[in-house]
Amino acid sequence: MCGIWALFGSDECLSVQCLSAMKIAHRGPDAFRFENVNGFTNCCFGFHRLAVVDQLYGMQPIRVKKFPYLWLCYNGEIYNFKQLQKQFGFDFQTLVDGEVILHLYNRGGIEQTASMLDGVFAFILLDTANRKVFLARDTYGVRPLFKVLTDDGFLGVCSEAKGLINLKHSTSLCSKVEPFLPGHYEVLDLKPSGKVASVELVKFHSCKDEPLHVACDTVEALPSGFDLETVKSNIRILFENAVRKRLMAHRRIGCLLSGGLDSSLVAAVLLKLMKEVSVNYPLQTFAIGMENSPDLLAARKVAAHIGSEHHEVILSTEEGIQAIEEVIFSLETYDITTIRASIGMYLVSKYIRKKTDSVVIFSGEGSDELTQGYIYFHKAPSPEEAAEESERLLKELYLFDVLRADRTTAAHGLELRVPFLDHRFTSYYLSLPAELRIPKNGIEKYLLRLSFEDSNLLPKEILWRPKEAFSDGIASVKKSWFSILQDYIDQQVDDLLLEKAAEKYPFNPPKTKESYYYRQIFEKHYSGRSSWLPHYWMPRWVKATDPSARTLKHYKSDTQE
């Protein structure tokens, strides 16, 4: 996890523009480099490093003797770099996983490069010999990327939008800063002036398609067919493989553990595999919640069962409320459920950074979208519509849960790993018949639970624990986190302000005091940027006015029979 930043064709002094690069310093606390491009005095790269792989040669932009005309700035991990090196006979100069991007590009161009990378990534690749700039981002946007491109060809690129919004440019204030779309690459021509012109934006991978890099995966072809035993076995094999490949790190590995199915499965499989490869330290797991909250109690059970070194962070109402503004600044969104769920994750990440030496943090993001874990899936009109909704949620992850998971951890210099969003695992799960993937017997994620039922990885009551929204599981059953927030916000926002909300904020107008309060804070830091959020996250097929699972009729807490 790092912070990348680049400018092409800047009219302003680069030493002034460089101050914008410092807005993402939290993403790379270990080192910083600012480098001009030879022959293009108005083009430069900025890089904030979190050293996780190859601590000696990992500074960026990466340049190697074999390709002196290539400059690479990337944020991410390429899990199959050794397999690609072996398959194509690449001669590496460093131990950096990202070096493989240079070799792949030299061998087969940008399309093959993006398609063959098994991992999470956002990168800027400059080819001065052919005068091209390439941008690319992984399938689910696990690693963030934003860009701004003016009419006269000034390009700014950054891991977070906050590194671009204050850039200066001669023609005007900078044009629209927008997220770079996941699963896409863009080709731009680089002019002698350093300015650029976009040539094409190409979608190189869809979540349903089996990725090209399967050809050099460590797991061979799986048995075909949709009989239940085969499917369950394939799910277990691919999920274990997803966790195994993510063990690649020179820094200590930890795991977030809410006590729900997803994070518990990740923690259990992770600990099992760490033992298999003889990692010489215990796995640290981390839970956050108010005293005796459902998540804390469930996480305690899981940690005892798997034998992790468990840490509990007790969240106070005051601490949670005080964190709201810095959380919104980190997130760059005003989405209600994203902010609620981020507060706990932001504070547990703060604890991990201050009190432990764990840096590479595993988490359960992506499972709810992939395996139909949200409670409203019980109301889906048909298996086919549930499958379509699952795909929609996966495509929008970069706006919601993946955004939350990246920003809350990156704010404290941690690197997140999300095995449920493994390309091969997700494409296999989405290839299964729609009927197999829906909730059954009143239980969401039924197929995933069933696949691990005989594994003894988790206690039965955890494996079959009903879904908790993260923002609700950290509170007590009697009073959820969102109702605690609303009680506080009720005193902060006047009724009259809410009545006139649609006049003040015509795009995505706030409908509640809580959403008005968040929007005010967002506009304070990112005025006029409301289009970054195309719509609020809300459940479907139910008449919901609030995204919290606790407001839905078929919500069950652990204390109910």
Side-chain angles (χ1 to χ4, degrees):
M1 194 284 303
C2 301
I4 60 175
W5 181 88
L7 300 185
F8 298 90
S10 174
D11 293 339
E12 297 291 323
C13 172
L14 288 180
S15 59
V16 174
Q17 301 279 48
C18 176
L19 295 173
S20 284
M22 302 316 291
K23 294 283 181 69
I24 59 162
H26 52 273
R27 297 190 69 89
D30 294 331
F32 171 66
R33 178 185 282 175
F34 183 72
E35 190 165 338
N36 288 1
V37 178
N38 307 346
F40 295 91
T41 53
N42 57 358
C43 301
C44 61
F45 288 93
F47 178 66
H48 295 275
R49 185 173 188 217
L50 178 69
V52 171
V53 175
D54 192 354
Q55 291 169 319
L56 185 60
Y57 292 108
M59 274 308 281
Q60 296 185 36
I62 295 174
R63 304 182 67 203
V64 294
K65 288 176 186 172
K66 197 171 183 182
F67 315 119
Y69 48 88
L70 295 183
W71 305 60
L72 173 69
C73 229
Y74 86 104
N75 168 210
E77 294 76 44
I78 311 304
Y79 303 122
N80 64 341
F81 78 106
K82 286 183 178 172
Q83 290 95 302
L84 291 168
Q85 180 185 20
K86 188 177 174 185
Q87 178 161 336
F88 298 121
F90 294 149
D91 181 20
F92 279 16
Q93 190 176 308
T94 72
L95 300 175
V96 180
D97 51 302
E99 186 184 334
V100 76
I101 295 170
L102 301 175
H103 295 270
L104 278 173
Y105 169 72
N106 179 68
R107 182 185 180 276
I110 190 64
E111 174 92 38
Q112 188 195 57
T113 302
S115 302
M116 289 299 286
L117 299 175
D118 182 7
V120 293
F121 57 86
F123 68 74
I124 308 154
L125 176 62
L126 168 63
D127 178 347
T128 54
N130 293 294
R131 296 263 173 89
K132 297 284 183 195
V133 177
F134 303 97
L135 310 177
R137 190 177 181 191
D138 67 74
T139 304
Y140 296 109
V142 174
R143 290 292 176 262
L145 194 66
F146 286 81
K147 74 164 198 178
V148 59
L149 180 59
T150 64
D151 292 340
D152 67 338
F154 168 53
L155 173 69
V157 188
C158 190
S159 296
E160 298 181 21
K162 56 181 70 69
L164 299 175
I165 57 174
N166 294 320
L167 290 174
K168 303 289 186 291
H169 192 59
S170 57
T171 54
S172 64
L173 283 169
C174 261
S175 303
K176 191 178 175 187
V177 174
E178 53 193 3
F180 189 82
L181 288 174
H184 285 71
Y185 68 80
E186 186 170 11
V187 183
L188 302 107
D189 281 334
L190 178 65
K191 298 171 183 176
S193 63
K195 307 276 192 199
V196 303
S198 181
V199 177
E200 59 177 344
L201 178 68
V202 178
K203 186 171 190 176
F204 67 86
H205 187 233
S206 292
C207 52
K208 281 178 78 172
D209 300 335
E210 186 175 71
L212 283 183
H213 54 69
V214 165
C216 57
D217 199 352
T218 48
V219 170
E220 305 277 314
L222 295 166
S224 57
F226 297 130
D227 64 280
L228 197 54
E229 289 311 309
T230 299
V231 167
K232 283 159 56 179
S233 170
N234 288 348
I235 286 171
R236 286 193 303 272
I237 289 166
L238 289 177
F239 186 67
E240 271 206 15
N241 185 46
V243 176
R244 185 181 291 109
K245 67 178 76 161
R246 284 164 175 77
L247 291 173
M248 179 180 95
H250 294 159
R251 302 287 286 272
R252 185 168 183 160
I253 290 170
C255 189
L256 299 180
L257 179 60
S258 71
L261 173 68
D262 309 326
S263 62
S264 300
L265 261 183
V266 171
V269 172
L270 176 58
L271 195 131
K272 172 182 171 239
L273 296 176
M274 284 170 71
K275 282 179 182 170
E276 283 178 18
V277 297
S278 304
V279 170
N280 62 358
Y281 55 79
L283 174 67
Q284 294 180 328
T285 51
F286 304 95
I288 186 166
M290 292 176 167
E291 203 80 60
N292 295 321
S293 64
D295 277 5
L296 280 189
L297 301 175
R300 216 173 283 165
K301 269 184 203 167
V302 176
H305 183 85
I306 66 175
S308 63
E309 180 194 300
H310 192 54
H311 296 242
E312 289 185 354
V313 181
I314 304 300
L315 172 69
S316 71
T317 302
E318 297 74 30
E319 192 182 16
I321 285 166
Q322 278 172 8
I324 294 172
E325 180 154 357
E326 54 195 273
V327 165
I328 292 172
F329 176 73
S330 294
L331 292 175
E332 305 173 333
T333 189
Y334 53 93
D335 179 63
I336 306 159
T337 191
T338 303
I339 294 166
R340 280 181 197 158
S342 293
I343 292 165
M345 201 162 177
Y346 182 88
L347 292 172
V348 77
S349 297
K350 189 176 186 178
Y351 169 89
I352 294 168
R353 187 71 194 177
K354 280 188 172 177
K355 306 283 188 184
T356 79
D357 58 348
S358 286
V359 173
V360 175
I361 307 297
F362 279 67
S363 189
E365 269 69 36
S367 175
D368 284 324
E369 291 76 9
L370 177 67
T371 67
Q372 303 183 15
Y374 292 114
I375 289 173
Y376 71 83
F377 273 97
H378 290 285
K379 300 289 189 186
S382 69
E384 291 68 32
E385 284 187 62
E388 281 174 26
E389 174 68 356
S390 181
E391 285 170 46
R392 182 189 73 83
L393 289 169
L394 285 165
K395 284 172 189 163
E396 292 191 345
L397 266 172
Y398 76 104
L399 297 166
F400 301 108
D401 276 24
V402 152
L403 180 149
R404 163 179 58 78
D406 173 81
R407 299 303 194 287
T408 54
T409 50
H412 302 290
L414 304 176
E415 177 182 295
L416 192 78
R417 301 220 170 154
V418 282
F420 274 109
L421 291 176
D422 181 79
H423 300 164
R424 191 168 178 194
F425 179 70
T426 54
S427 65
Y428 175 75
Y429 206 95
L430 294 172
S431 76
L432 299 173
E435 177 61 41
L436 266 183
R437 292 182 272 147
I438 57 171
K440 290 198 171 61
N441 306 332
I443 300 168
E444 65 284 341
K445 293 189 268 205
Y446 187 82
L447 178 60
L448 181 66
R449 298 173 198 269
L450 201 61
S451 299
F452 286 92
E453 190 173 38
D454 300 324
S455 66
N456 197 35
L457 281 168
L458 293 172
K460 288 282 189 284
E461 67 268 27
I462 298 294
L463 188 63
W464 295 96
R465 184 187 177 202
K467 166 72 182 164
E468 286 268 11
F470 180 57
S471 53
D472 295 337
I474 61 170
S476 68
V477 172
K478 289 172 186 167
K479 194 159 193 183
S480 79
W481 174 233
F482 96 87
S483 61
I484 291 166
L485 277 175
Q486 284 169 337
D487 286 351
Y488 167 75
I489 288 164
D490 202 44
Q491 309 301 312
Q492 312 300 312
V493 178
D494 189 79
D495 291 346
L496 195 61
L497 284 175
L498 186 60
E499 279 174 37
K500 296 187 174 179
E503 292 172 36
K504 189 171 185 181
Y505 305 121
F507 184 77
N508 281 339
K511 300 267 191 345
T512 64
K513 286 188 175 183
E514 185 189 7
S515 60
Y516 190 96
Y517 184 69
Y518 297 158
R519 183 64 169 272
Q520 272 187 317
I521 296 170
F522 174 84
E523 294 288 344
K524 175 180 163 186
H525 295 287
Y526 306 111
S527 179
R529 312 279 182 177
S530 60
S531 63
W532 289 346
L533 178 70
H535 60 87
Y536 292 107
W537 193 100
M538 279 287 176
R540 294 189 66 193
W541 308 307
V542 288
K543 287 180 181 173
T545 54
D546 190 279
S548 172
R550 286 179 184 267
T551 63
L552 303 183
K553 282 180 185 171
H554 45 284
Y555 179 84
K556 294 176 195 166
S557 74
D558 289 350
T559 58
Q560 292 173 303
E561 292 302 316

